[in-house]
Structure formats: structure tokens, C-alpha cells
Amino acid sequence: MDLELTPADIEFRDEVRAFLADKLTPELSAAGRLATSVFIEPEYSLPWQRILHARGWVAPHWPKAYGGTGWDEMKRYIFASECARAGAPGLAPMGLGMVGPCIIGYGTPEQKAYYLPRILSGEDYWCQGYSEPGAGSDLASLQLRAESDGDDYILNGTKIWTTHAHHANKMFCLVRTDPAAKPQSGITFLLLDMDTPGIKVDPIITLAGEHELNQVFFDDVRVPKSGRLGKENDGWSVAKYLLEFERGSGSSAGLEALLKRYHAQVMSNGDAEPGLIRRLGDVAIRVEATKMTEQRVLADLSSGQPPGPAASMLKIQRTELMQAIDTLGIDALGSYAAPFQPDAWRPCSNGEVIGPKSLVTATARYLNNRAGSIYGGSNEVQRNIIAKMVLGL
């Protein structure tokens, strides 16, 4: 496998860097660097999405016929890596990264024509209705009922840990349409409007003190069957297809940039603890190993293969590496990790900061990212997938 960039790749990388230097404002760059989770507030992610959309770069992984760029796998990887290194705010992943590819793969012509342009422009902001109080990693046990009534389904039940539901105007949702069927066989995939009567969104405040998560309640919510994606009772197939994109997308460049900031903090102390320096080296090696894994997956994707079990492998590597880097950040800050300074998390904040300003979100990142090895399918489940699909166990 040749990891050297071709002259064309270098030219494209330089084009991306020039674009970022011209269009990425200090406020948007600060929003990316100060992010406390993978989800950026829409007041920052949507302006950046509009800038990318105007350039035609908002959905690099979509087919060109639906508004994608037509880039090959290497160009997409270069673009993601350069955006991460520049501190660009991440785009809301639920629309562009998850339900969009599913609509392309499973949607009717009418669904594609309606939803895809609105996802690209940011007109629709999506949330994911998967987990329930009794159905997390064991998602097939979900119980949100959808009873058929003419041209509609009537929904009753609840979803939980619903990220940015308080911002979203759309939800893609798994519902149970056949309670008598085997768990995976009685599930349907629905697209619905969040302003539909009977939907209630209650906030869940995270351990870091942020409102990112919610519980969503459905009380006789009427959803048109025209919002069904795929066949009735075959939503599990759509969900598995979506999770391959949720687990396999991304780049380790953002983790590499964060590690460099923590490394600078440790080395700024003339008598840095040797054990901490050694741990920095260990994590740096893991970052390089993850980058190599990403390159191997790129080679497979270039041949037209879906992410498959490699998506599970990268999901494990990235989330556990992210948590290791977050832990290093807390240790590097020492007593400066303790103050709770949410006002300083906002881009271009002029308030006084206790400790290094560039690392003011380290504790919030550490707390929020504990969920990284759970969301998108817990890492224990990912290891089971690898054991079954790769090792044949």
C-alpha cells in the first residue's frame, strides 16, 4: 500500500488549505477548537455548512448525482484531515452523514427529490430516534409502537439520549410495527417532522453541565406512511446500513491536533513528570497506528466495498484513543482542570480564564466523551461484530 500523496493529491490539499485560510473565520475556527463533543451548536455548524454548500463541498461522500463532490476516497480523507487540523467546526452528522446516505440508498425518487437538497443546504436539521430507556446497545428490543391507521402510523412511546432534538426539525426514527415478529423483523424506519402534534422534548443535562441530550415522548403522534424509508418491518436493514456510515466515517486528524495542544502544555512545564511524557509518546504511537488503519480502509473503500466490519474496528480505535487523549489533557492541566467555566467555552469569549485558555474545554471534553465508547453501538458490541465477521467465532 502506497501512502505517499500523488502530485494531484498535493495540489488538491493545497487547494483545500487555501480555501480554509480564506473562508474559515476566527469565530468558526474557535468553535471547532473549543468543541466539547462531536456535536457543534448549530449557530456555528450551520454557517460553516452554508459556506461549504456554496463551494459544492458540503457532502464529499455523497454521489455526485445527488450533490456530492465526485472525489475519490483519498481526496475525501485529505479534506476531512485538513478541516480537522484547521479547527473547522464539525457539521451536524445526523443529516449529511447518516440519514442522507440512507435516503440515497433506500429512498423513493420523491423522497430523494424532497429531502436531499434540504439536507445539503441545512434547511432541515435532523436528530436520531434510536435508543430507548430499555433499548440501547440492545437496540432490537425497542418498543416505540407504530400502529397502522390508513395512510398514517400512530406512534406511542419514547426515545432517549436524543442528541440535539431541541434544535432539530426532523427525526429519523426506528419504530415497532409488528410486536409479534422476531425483534429485528418487526421494526420500521420512519422520517418525521418534530413539530408534529403529540411530540414533547425534555432536556437531559450532561455530566459536563451542557444541554446536548434529550428524551422525546410520543403521544398519539400521527406520521404519514410516505415518510417510511424502505419496506414496512424491514427497518433493521436500513438501520444497519446507516450504522456503517456512523461508525466508519471520519479522520484521526482532529485527535492528532488535540494531542499536540496537550503535548505543548506538558512540555511548557520544565519539570514535567516523566510518566506523563511517556504516556504522551504511547498515545502518539496509537494515533499513528489509527492513521495507518484509516489508510487501509481507504484502500478497501476505493475498490467499491462498504465499510463493513472495518467500521467497527475504527469506531473502537478512535473512541478509545479519544478517551485516552482526554485523560492526558486532564492530567496535563492538573488543578486547572477543576474550575467550571462554561462562559469561556464560547468562541471569542473575552472573559478571564483560569488556566490555559486553549485547554479550557478539556474537562468538559473528558466528561462528554466518556459516552464515545457507547454511542453508535458500544465497543463491546463492536468487538462481537469483529469476532463474528472477521474471525468467524
Side-chain angles (χ1 to χ4, degrees), residues 104-147:
I104 291 171
Y106 283 86
T108 64
E110 294 77 15
Q111 289 172 328
K112 294 175 184 178
Y114 177 74
Y115 287 113
L116 296 180
R118 296 166 63 95
I119 293 173
L120 290 171
S121 68
E123 182 176 355
D124 285 341
Y125 194 91
W126 290 80
C127 62
Q128 179 187 52
Y130 272 24
S131 295
E132 298 180 7
S137 296
D138 182 20
L139 186 58
S141 63
L142 66 90
Q143 295 299 317
L144 174 61
R145 290 290 300 274
E147 297 181 347

Side-chain angles (χ1 to χ4, degrees), residues 258-270:
L258 182 64
L259 180 61
K260 287 180 179 179
R261 296 213 303 270
Y262 291 160
H263 181 271
Q265 172 63 23
V266 171
M267 300 312 292
S268 67
N269 184 353

Side-chain angles (χ1 to χ4, degrees), residues 103-385:
I103 293 172
I104 291 171
Y106 283 86
T108 64
E110 294 77 15
Q111 289 172 328
K112 294 175 184 178
Y114 177 74
Y115 287 113
L116 296 180
R118 296 166 63 95
I119 293 173
L120 290 171
S121 68
E123 182 176 355
D124 285 341
Y125 194 91
W126 290 80
C127 62
Q128 179 187 52
Y130 272 24
S131 295
E132 298 180 7
S137 296
D138 182 20
L139 186 58
S141 63
L142 66 90
Q143 295 299 317
L144 174 61
R145 290 290 300 274
E147 297 181 347
S148 179
D149 184 34
D151 292 332
D152 299 331
Y153 293 110
I154 299 177
L155 276 58
N156 283 281
T158 185
K159 294 292 180 180
I160 201 168
W161 316 124
T162 314
T163 306
H164 280 197
H166 56 303
H167 294 308
N169 68 318
K170 301 285 186 183
M171 173 188 279
F172 57 94
C173 187
L174 290 178
V175 299
R176 186 158 299 285
T177 42
D178 186 356
K182 292 182 179 180
Q184 289 90 341
S185 302
I187 292 173
T188 297
F189 195 108
L190 291 182
L191 312 175
L192 58 88
D193 293 327
M194 288 296 287
D195 61 357
T196 305
I199 294 179
K200 179 187 176 188
V201 179
D202 281 355
I204 298 175
I205 305 303
T206 68
L207 189 61
E210 297 180 277
H211 179 194
E212 180 178 290
L213 306 173
N214 304 272
Q215 184 166 5
V216 183
F217 298 90
F218 299 81
D219 184 10
D220 290 334
V221 175
R222 188 172 287 270
V223 176
K225 290 182 178 177
S226 60
R228 186 180 68 223
L229 197 60
K231 298 178 181 179
E232 184 172 284
N233 297 323
D234 193 36
W236 194 251
S237 298
V238 184
K240 288 192 299 182
Y241 182 77
L242 181 147
L243 283 171
E244 287 190 355
F245 290 93
E246 180 178 1
R247 294 165 183 165
S249 61
S251 160
S252 60
L255 296 178
E256 186 176 31
L258 182 64
L259 180 61
K260 287 180 179 179
R261 296 213 303 270
Y262 291 160
H263 181 271
Q265 172 63 23
V266 171
M267 300 312 292
S268 67
N269 184 353
D271 58 348
E273 179 187 346
L276 191 56
I277 295 175
R278 184 182 66 250
R279 287 167 56 201
L280 281 167
D282 291 342
V283 171
I285 291 170
R286 291 174 61 186
V287 169
E288 289 300 314
T290 301
K291 288 166 63 177
M292 290 291 293
T293 302
E294 291 169 347
Q295 295 284 353
R296 285 166 39 214
V297 172
L298 275 178
D300 291 339
L301 290 173
S302 296
S303 66
Q305 298 298 316
S312 294
M313 178 174 59
L314 275 176
K315 197 271 180 179
I316 293 169
Q317 285 183 296
R318 287 178 182 145
T319 55
E320 294 184 356
L321 182 55
M322 173 178 68
Q323 291 172 346
I325 293 173
D326 289 337
T327 302
L328 271 174
I330 296 297
D331 293 343
L333 281 171
S335 59
Y336 287 128
F340 181 63
Q341 307 176 81
D343 290 342
W345 302 345
R346 296 188 61 81
C348 305
S349 170
N350 293 322
E352 183 138 352
V353 175
I354 302 171
K357 189 170 184 177
S358 64
L359 305 183
V360 71
T361 57
T363 299
R365 282 186 56 90
Y366 172 86
L367 295 172
N368 276 336
N369 287 338
R370 303 316 297 167
S373 48
I374 300 173
Y375 59 60
S378 73
N379 285 8
E380 290 81 3
V381 170
Q382 305 315 309
R383 288 183 167 89
N384 285 342
I385 292 172

